[in-house]
Amino acid sequence: MEHYWRRNLCILWLGLFLNHMAYTLSVPFFPLFLQKELGIGKGVEAWSGVSISISFLISGLCAPFWGSLADQYGRKLMLVRSGMGLGAAHLANYFVYDLYTFIVVRVFQGLMAGFSPASVALVGTNTPEKHVGYALGVISTATAAGGILGPLAGGLLIQWLGLRECFIASALITFLSALIVLAGVKEIHKRPEGPRPSMMDDLKQAARNSNLMRVYWLILLVSTSVMILEPLLTIYVVQIGGRSDNASLSSGIVFSAVGIATVIMGPRWGRIGGRIGYHKTLLIGLLGGGIGNLLQLGVPHLLGFGLLRFGYGLFFAAVYPALNALIIRYAESDFRSRAVSLSQSASQFGIVVGPLLGGFIGGWVSIPFVFLLTGAALLAPPHAP
């Protein structure tokens, strides 16, 4: 383990970066795809929320099952399975011409999900204990870095080639991420002895650990707060001054601002957490994220909004490394992979609720109200677990 963990971390970082880049290459532009390619005129905010949420609902339901298989057969196999399946789902989107087929493909994408939790679990279980905080901080920047280039590349591709071509690019990049992991990652895997625990057994074991349950609750809240804006940002960019014919590029830049901030601060927060404690860094991240959302409420200009998104990201980058490190700390060694999978279920359910809430609230009340709701929610938890 001491010999391979750095190499694994580099390869997994690259694989997760490519996987998330492929995701953000096309998914942030679903509202445009629904409007321009599928002909959805009314209720595009709500349908955008549904199309994003349904995939994560299925993924959350399947996460404990995939986590149990990972304990039996290894996390590397689950990474390759997810990468190939997600690539096929992205490719299928290219051939979609009606709303209901699009929803079916999104369900299939949810079934194939799991690349990110398998990456985190492999890092957590194949890294020496003294380096876990650092490694989790580094791996958290992979999705952020992918979230930088993905929307920017997607916005440019849409301007240059079109919306559908983004799905082909997403598929090719996702297939590449799976091949990189297959060829480069070396996992030290010990198959657990005895019968495989059921999902209900996992839930019961987690329920007996009050610290883990508090972490799961925070993950649910945090993921909801992140995803509540997913179906709305592209629309909001147009409302505050972005040109409708250039909405994909402008919203891509705004989406990327948080990713840039996370890449800058993610590893630093991992080291800071190891020094001052993950409870404190989590509290700093929640406070910064809550205040950052409230400040975005009062900025009606595109440049100022982008700068505030960047500032919000600098603080919010502390949250996920701290939560992941706390899961590794609180879970027993033979339960860590399943504990991470359950955390992914909590995250996925938040990701389900977030776009649905954002889509319906943004269409019913107003998009600025969503910033108020999100900021208040992040400031509400009085204590880290």
Side-chain angles (χ1 to χ4, degrees):
M1 183 184 296
E2 187 70 39
H3 180 67
Y4 289 109
W5 76 270
R6 293 183 186 276
R7 170 183 153 181
N8 281 346
L9 181 60
C10 292
I11 295 170
L12 287 170
W13 191 97
L14 179 59
L16 190 54
F17 162 75
L18 290 171
N19 192 273
H20 198 68
M21 176 184 173
Y23 172 83
T24 56
L25 194 72
S26 52
V27 172
F29 308 109
F30 276 3
L32 297 179
F33 182 73
L34 290 168
Q35 285 179 324
K36 296 182 178 181
E37 297 289 333
L38 303 188
I40 305 300
K42 294 183 179 180
V44 67
E45 296 97 340
W47 278 116
S48 179
V50 169
S51 66
I52 294 171
S53 293
I54 189 67
S55 178
F56 289 107
L57 173 62
I58 301 301
S59 176
L61 292 172
C62 293
F65 172 72
W66 294 128
S68 184
L69 287 185
D71 282 339
Q72 291 291 317
Y73 303 108
R75 290 90 187 168
K76 179 178 176 178
L77 180 62
M78 292 300 103
L79 281 165
V80 175
R81 184 271 314 165
S82 178
M84 299 304 291
L86 289 173
H90 286 307
L91 186 61
N93 279 323
Y94 177 82
F95 301 99
V96 168
Y97 285 91
D98 67 89
L99 177 62
Y100 298 108
T101 305
F102 183 57
I103 298 299
V104 170
V105 174
R106 293 294 294 160
V107 170
F108 174 71
Q109 189 162 350
L111 289 171
M112 293 296 103
F115 198 95
S116 180
S119 299
V120 172
L122 201 155
V123 168
T125 55
N126 278 247
T127 301
E129 190 72 30
K130 61 183 178 180
H131 299 301
V132 166
Y134 165 76
L136 290 174
V138 170
I139 202 68
S140 73
T141 67
T143 55
I148 295 170
L149 288 184
L152 287 175
L156 291 171
L157 274 176
I158 291 171
Q159 295 286 317
W160 181 34
L161 297 175
L163 282 161
R164 290 185 179 275
E165 285 67 22
C166 280
F167 292 126
I168 294 179
S170 292
L172 294 175
I173 295 170
T174 306
F175 288 141
L176 178 60
S177 72
L179 293 175
I180 287 172
V181 170
L182 179 63
V185 168
K186 182 176 178 61
E187 179 183 10
I188 299 174
H189 174 63
K190 295 180 180 179
R191 181 175 295 188
E193 298 178 358
R196 185 174 67 192
S198 67
M199 294 183 196
M200 189 57 65
D201 291 334
D202 291 345
L203 291 171
K204 289 178 180 178
Q205 183 170 347
R208 292 193 292 268
N209 190 325
S210 59
N211 287 324
L212 266 183
M213 294 306 294
R214 285 196 292 271
V215 174
Y216 290 158
W217 162 248
L218 274 176
I219 290 173
L220 175 64
L221 174 66
V222 167
S223 62
T224 301
S225 77
V226 170
M227 292 301 295
I228 199 169
L229 290 169
E230 186 81 5
L232 303 176
L233 272 183
T234 301
I235 299 169
Y236 189 60
V237 163
V238 176
Q239 291 182 3
I240 61 174
R243 300 201 328 265
S244 59
D245 61 342
N246 201 33
S248 59
L249 183 57
S250 299
S251 59
I253 293 171
V254 170
F255 269 104
S256 298
V258 176
I260 294 170
T262 304
V263 168
I264 293 172
M265 285 301 298
R268 290 175 173 82
W269 283 121
R271 290 191 180 94
I272 292 170
R275 188 167 64 249
I276 70 172
Y278 296 109
H279 302 81
K280 292 181 180 179
T281 57
L282 177 59
L283 183 59
I284 292 170
L286 291 173
L287 289 173
I291 294 170
N293 270 286
L294 293 178
L295 291 175
Q296 291 171 57
L297 178 66
V299 179
H301 303 293
L302 189 57
L303 178 59
F305 180 68
L307 290 174
L308 274 177
R309 293 290 295 170
F310 177 78
Y312 151 84
L314 290 175
F315 286 94
F316 201 73
V319 173
Y320 280 114
L323 289 172
N324 288 332
L326 289 173
I327 290 171
I328 299 299
R329 172 177 293 178
Y330 291 142
E332 298 175 3
S333 59
D334 61 346
F335 185 60
R336 281 180 178 173
S337 180
R338 285 173 285 148
V340 171
S341 293
L342 287 176
S343 76
Q344 185 66 14
S345 290
S347 177
Q348 299 287 21
F349 286 123
I351 293 170
V352 170
V353 173
L356 286 175
L357 277 177
F360 284 101
I361 293 174
W364 177 44
V365 184
S366 67
I367 295 177
F369 181 78
V370 177
F371 289 106
L372 175 63
L373 181 66
T374 304
L378 290 177
L379 293 174
H383 302 288

